[in-house]
Amino acid sequence: MLGKGCLVEKSTYYKTGYYFDNLGEKTQIEMQKNVVTKKNNLVLDYGERISQNGGYARAEIGSTWYTETIEVEAGTAVTIKPVSMKNYVFDHWELSSNITLTEGSTTSETIKFTMPDKDATVKPVFKKITYSITYNLNGGSWNGSAGVNKYEVGSEVTLPTNVTKSGYGFVGWYEVENGLWYGPYDKITTYDSGNKTFTAKWKTSADAEFP
């Protein structure tokens, strides 16, 4: 068997995974390992559009960050974190079956794994933030079921009108800030965000508004 430092006649020799260096007649042969670096695609998937998905994944390899599909050498340590768009929050990861996590879980914001020897896919799944709706009946009461108390960004919600106050008529829902009344509002639009507090405004039969 040939090994490093052997003397051979000029000829052709083979060894799987190796090649000869400095081959010549009665010349010392140095057996050099023929290392082939194989790279596979790490697919950072966010669907058709980042805005529709609610965010994207960011891969850290060494000191460099990537947000698009890249080629990664098998055995490379990879760290992945989600980046959420406004009004969205990270929910979980969808991973190809050949990814084995070395740190974190599919619900952890930061995950780590070793790049497998085949293409791998990472997809972050986001959900819209749910905001609260609070009603200040301002001395009134519900005439039946209470109004909806939460909403998701991008959805339209009609505010309830089934409120009553003895001796008064319902004017509408207002937002009150620093003593100023803004409104009336009859719905939450697809452009709204944040927690909402609505105060009922009433009027007497003489059209005197209170407060």
Side-chain angles (χ1 to χ4, degrees), residues 20-188:
F20 284 132
D21 189 22
N22 298 323
L23 177 62
E25 186 174 0
K26 293 187 180 298
T27 300
Q28 189 174 40
I29 295 173
E30 293 293 332
M31 300 289 289
Q32 304 292 334
K33 180 67 176 176
N34 187 9
V35 179
V36 178
T37 300
K38 182 182 179 183
K39 292 186 177 181
N40 302 288
N41 288 324
L42 175 58
V43 180
L44 303 178
D45 185 13
Y46 51 78
E48 293 184 3
R49 295 181 182 177
I50 292 177
S51 58
Q52 291 178 344
N53 191 54
Y56 56 93
R58 192 171 69 172
E60 179 184 4
I61 300 176
S63 59
T64 306
W65 289 100
Y66 304 89
T67 58
E68 300 285 347
T69 296
I70 53 173
E71 289 188 334
V72 182
E73 184 178 346
T76 301
V78 180
T79 299
I80 306 283
K81 294 182 179 181
V83 180
S84 303
M85 305 295 286
K86 181 181 179 181
N87 298 320
Y88 284 82
V89 63
F90 170 77
D91 188 60
H92 66 277
W93 297 101
E94 291 181 356
L95 308 174
S96 55
S97 59
N98 60 340
I99 291 180
T100 300
L101 296 180
T102 57
E103 185 175 313
S105 68
T106 54
T107 57
S108 302
E109 288 209 4
T110 300
I111 56 174
K112 295 183 179 182
F113 60 89
T114 300
M115 183 66 188
D117 59 0
K118 293 183 179 180
D119 292 350
T121 300
V122 173
K123 181 179 181 179
V125 177
F126 300 87
K127 62 181 180 181
K128 291 181 179 179
I129 297 174
T130 298
Y131 293 108
S132 66
I133 305 174
T134 302
Y135 301 97
N136 175 5
L137 299 182
N138 195 22
S141 60
W142 293 108
N143 184 16
S145 299
V148 61
N149 61 5
K150 60 183 179 180
Y151 75 99
E152 288 185 348
V153 174
S155 60
E156 186 173 283
V157 177
T158 300
L159 299 178
T161 57
N162 59 321
V163 290
T164 183
K165 183 177 181 180
S166 180
Y168 292 83
F170 179 62
V171 175
W173 296 107
Y174 287 72
E175 289 185 306
V176 182
E177 184 177 347
N178 297 326
L180 299 176
W181 290 63
Y182 300 93
Y185 298 99
D186 60 358
K187 63 184 176 181
I188 291 175

